[in-house]
Amino acid sequence: MTDSIPQTSRADRITAPLYHATFRRIWLASVLANLGALIRSVGAAWAMTQMTSAADKVALVQTALLLPVMFISMPAGAIADMYDRRVVALVSVGIAFTGATALTTLAWTHLLTPNLLLALCFVVGSGMALMDPAWQSSVSEQVPLEALPAAVALNSISYNIARGVGPAIGGIVVATAGPVAAFAINALLYSPLMLALFLWKRMSEPSRLPPEKLSRAIVSGVRYVVNSPSIRIVLARTVVTGVTGGGIIALMPLVARDLMGGGARTYGIMLSAFGFGAVFGALNITNLRKQMSGEAAVRACALAMSGAIIAVALSRQPIVTATFLFFAGAVWMITWALFNIGVQLSAPRWVTGRALAAYQAAQSGGIAVGSWAWGYLADITGVKTVLLISAALMLASPLLGLWLRMPHVGAREKDGEMLADPEVRLALTGRSGPLVVEIEYRVAQENARAFHAVMQDVQLYRQRTGAYGWSLARDIADPELWTERYHCPTWLDYLRQRNRSTQSERALDRQAWAFHVGPEPARVRRMLERPFGSVRRGEDNPDRTPKEVMPRQGLLGN
């Protein structure tokens, strides 16, 4: 039986990715893992309310679960891009399972304290922070490219299906058997995910270049994000949304206890209403993307979220609060899915894990910082006032679109073809460097302004793919002569840099070269900046054949 979508199915349907067996198995297992995580969250939040009445401590439970994502995401993304994503995911789930098991044991032996609860929530959160980039970036390996937006939405739905029923189940479990039972269920429900990952027969394309070191891979990811205007905008909007809107989730136990006068069951029902709303929102993302631009959809969601938070702050009736939480969950989910899709489709395959890690760090960091701030403020002014302040800031957040407009996102950029290694007449090693590349263009003076504009885009793409120290100079004695210059740390880094460009970035190169005039093509020089170590005995022998570190193949390029 083939693992493909039937001809009668449309790739943009929300269910299309489920026709692929690997994605389906892992997705179903992730629903169970998320269900356990939500049950644990109810148990942890309620256990904290029993150990202390301080609002900031209660809110710190959410912070402890999300803060690891802010700190670990970028290294996790680099690891996901460098190593087998299946193995990385298995190790990550193992860490979360260990933390959940320790939490169960301490709660069962009555040794759990507020600080230990926060520490173990941090451990579990660390495992899932390491897992997320590997899982999210591997989705494109499990479904065809045209089904990727639906797969991203389904990943969000998997969490929110669990959010729909998990808190209600968690509330019942905590009310009848206590937090220890919630922690035990969480540990148990990680097992199906570990099995599904173990059964995944991942087919990876081996690179002819060795992987980067972790530190350099992190730097490469940061450099890509910094030099990608579209991703920078999405991350900025993500942080603002997380800080301004995260209070309603962090303070949900206090909404149930202080505003509703309820207990664990009320808390579970309120979270379930929010979760079912999120599922409803995720199911309608495809239609919304067809009808509205990204900026219009994010603005509409922010305004709707603001109104819902105001209603929750003022309501004292559980049915009214649950209704508006359902509405809030729908627009909250749509907002995050739009951000996620925007980042995932804006990044090429080689850096997808790190781009998603940056998004997750921005999302979780914003919510974590916001949760702590709203909890601290709630101790001073009360839950109702804090929610109204949050709603006011959310109402004002669409103004960011005047300066940071959400980028238009179509299909993911296709990777460029592998380029041949340039001719080498020095016995270079992978660590030889720094490498300096100079490209001389001869441009007619009437085309100078247009050429300069194109080169600004070339600069960004060179820096995204690993170049540094980029400059563009014009000869004062020969105004038609322009020199582009940039550096790469080592020979291997240069080989990686020139093969990381997408097809549209290669088109920028062709566009720049099209300005070149004259009988000879634009001249490319590649130079070793510190040549002393490259001067070896025997180089004066004209019969000596220099050693090249890589075979030459594919297309020629800079």
Side-chain angles (χ1 to χ4, degrees):
M1 181 176 180
T2 59
D3 187 23
S4 60
I5 298 177
Q7 295 296 321
T8 56
S9 296
R10 294 180 56 184
D12 60 351
R13 287 180 179 173
I14 193 68
T15 57
L18 296 177
Y19 287 100
H20 299 268
T22 299
F23 178 86
R24 182 173 63 249
R25 281 196 301 264
I26 298 178
W27 185 82
L28 290 172
S30 73
V31 172
L32 294 177
N34 287 328
L35 177 65
L38 267 296
I39 292 172
R40 180 210 61 230
S41 294
V42 174
W46 202 251
M48 186 63 82
T49 61
Q50 291 179 325
M51 289 186 285
T52 178
S53 60
D56 60 338
K57 283 283 188 180
V58 176
L60 276 175
V61 172
Q62 184 79 5
T63 301
L65 289 168
L66 294 177
L67 204 59
V69 181
M70 185 171 65
F71 291 131
I72 297 173
S73 277
M74 190 54 73
I79 291 170
D81 286 332
M82 293 165 59
Y83 301 108
D84 190 316
R85 288 165 179 166
R86 169 181 168 273
V87 175
V88 173
L90 273 169
V91 172
S92 305
V93 179
I95 293 172
F97 173 80
T98 301
T101 302
L103 191 58
T104 304
T105 302
L106 289 174
W108 183 53
T109 55
H110 304 287
L111 296 176
L112 194 62
T113 64
N115 289 336
L116 278 175
L117 175 61
L118 293 174
L120 289 172
C121 284
F122 187 89
V123 171
V124 175
S126 297
M128 299 319 293
L130 187 61
M131 158 79 175
D132 273 350
W135 161 228
Q136 295 278 359
S137 59
S138 68
V139 169
S140 60
E141 301 173 20
Q142 301 164 21
V143 300
L145 194 59
E146 60 269 18
L148 184 59
V152 171
L154 276 175
N155 279 346
S156 300
I157 289 174
S158 75
Y159 178 77
N160 287 289
I161 288 174
R163 176 178 278 174
V165 297
I169 296 173
I172 294 172
V173 169
V174 171
T176 56
V180 64
F183 302 149
I185 291 172
N186 173 219
L188 181 64
L189 290 182
Y190 280 129
S191 302
L193 183 55
M194 288 190 283
L195 178 61
L197 290 168
F198 180 78
L199 294 175
W200 175 21
K201 305 301 181 183
R202 180 174 182 258
M203 301 296 294
S204 59
E205 296 181 7
S207 173
R208 65 189 182 94
L209 299 176
E212 295 176 280
K213 292 183 178 180
L214 180 61
S215 59
R216 185 156 290 173
I218 294 173
V219 171
S220 296
V222 172
R223 182 185 288 120
Y224 186 90
V225 170
V226 168
N227 290 285
S228 177
S230 60
I231 293 180
R232 286 204 314 267
I233 289 172
V234 174
L235 296 187
R237 300 291 290 271
T238 295
V239 171
V240 171
T241 300
V243 171
T244 56
I248 192 170
I249 300 175
L251 298 177
M252 197 80 75
L254 302 180
V255 170
R257 188 187 70 183
D258 298 345
L259 301 186
M260 298 289 100
R265 287 188 182 182
T266 303
Y267 172 49
I269 291 171
M270 295 301 109
L271 277 180
S272 294
F274 191 91
F276 280 125
V279 172
F280 176 80
L283 289 173
N284 288 278
I285 288 172
T286 301
N287 292 332
L288 186 68
R289 290 182 73 227
K290 291 178 180 178
Q291 297 171 5
M292 302 177 70
S293 68
E295 178 61 32
V298 169
R299 288 181 181 180
C301 288
L303 296 176
M305 188 74 179
S306 174
I309 294 174
I310 291 173
V312 170
L314 299 179
S315 170
R316 296 298 179 269
Q317 300 298 319
I319 186 65
V320 175
T321 300
T323 299
F324 281 100
L325 284 173
F326 178 92
F327 189 62
V331 295
W332 186 249
M333 179 69 258
I334 291 171
T335 302
W336 293 123
L338 290 170
F339 291 153
N340 190 319
I341 292 170
V343 169
Q344 192 151 178
L345 294 183
S346 296
R349 190 182 300 274
W350 70 269
V351 77
T352 301
R354 281 163 280 188
L356 284 169
Y359 160 71
Q360 289 162 356
Q363 177 194 39
S364 299
I367 295 176
V369 171
S371 296
W372 173 82
W374 296 126
Y376 179 80
L377 194 58
D379 276 333
I380 301 172
T381 64
V383 177
K384 175 182 173 181
T385 302
V386 165
L387 291 177
L388 291 175
I389 295 172
S390 172
L393 292 176
M394 183 64 72
L395 183 66
S397 65
L399 294 175
L400 279 175
L402 298 176
W403 301 278
L404 301 173
R405 189 176 184 83
M406 286 288 292
H408 172 74
V409 178
R412 171 185 271 181
E413 291 270 18
K414 293 184 178 180
D415 295 335
E417 296 180 50
M418 185 66 69
L419 298 175
D421 293 341
E423 182 179 358
V424 175
R425 294 186 179 275
L426 284 177
L428 300 179
T429 69
R431 298 177 62 184
S432 298
L435 263 290
V436 182
V437 180
E438 288 186 352
I439 307 173
E440 291 184 354
Y441 306 88
R442 184 163 291 279
V443 180
Q445 294 194 50
E446 62 268 20
N447 293 328
R449 186 176 297 275
F451 174 74
H452 184 268
V454 169
M455 294 306 292
Q456 302 312 300
D457 293 330
V458 171
Q459 174 188 3
L460 285 177
Y461 115 66
R462 297 256 197 259
Q463 292 175 165
R464 280 197 298 270
T465 52
Y468 70 92
W470 187 94
S471 65
L472 182 67
R474 191 177 185 185
D475 195 317
I476 60 175
D478 185 359
E480 288 189 343
L481 185 62
W482 297 71
T483 302
E484 177 191 5
R485 179 184 173 95
Y486 59 91
H487 296 66
C488 289
T490 67
W491 171 243
L492 272 179
D493 288 312
Y494 170 66
L495 295 179
R496 294 189 186 101
Q497 184 272 331
R498 68 198 304 269
N499 284 295
R500 283 174 171 170
S501 49
T502 62
Q503 290 185 6
S504 64
E505 290 168 341
R506 297 273 173 87
L508 279 175
D509 270 333
R510 291 192 293 271
Q511 191 175 350
W513 282 59
F515 283 98
H516 179 76
V517 296
E520 299 294 330
R523 183 174 183 180
V524 181
R525 292 190 181 94
R526 303 174 184 90
M527 298 169 287
L528 191 63
E529 191 168 64
R530 297 171 187 166
F532 177 77
S534 67
V535 180
R536 292 176 169 80
R537 187 183 304 276
E539 284 198 316
D540 55 347
N541 183 357
D543 296 327
R544 182 177 180 271
T545 301
K547 179 181 178 182
E548 295 189 18
V549 298
M550 299 291 170
R552 294 199 292 150
Q553 60 182 22
L555 305 174
L556 294 176
N558 293 341

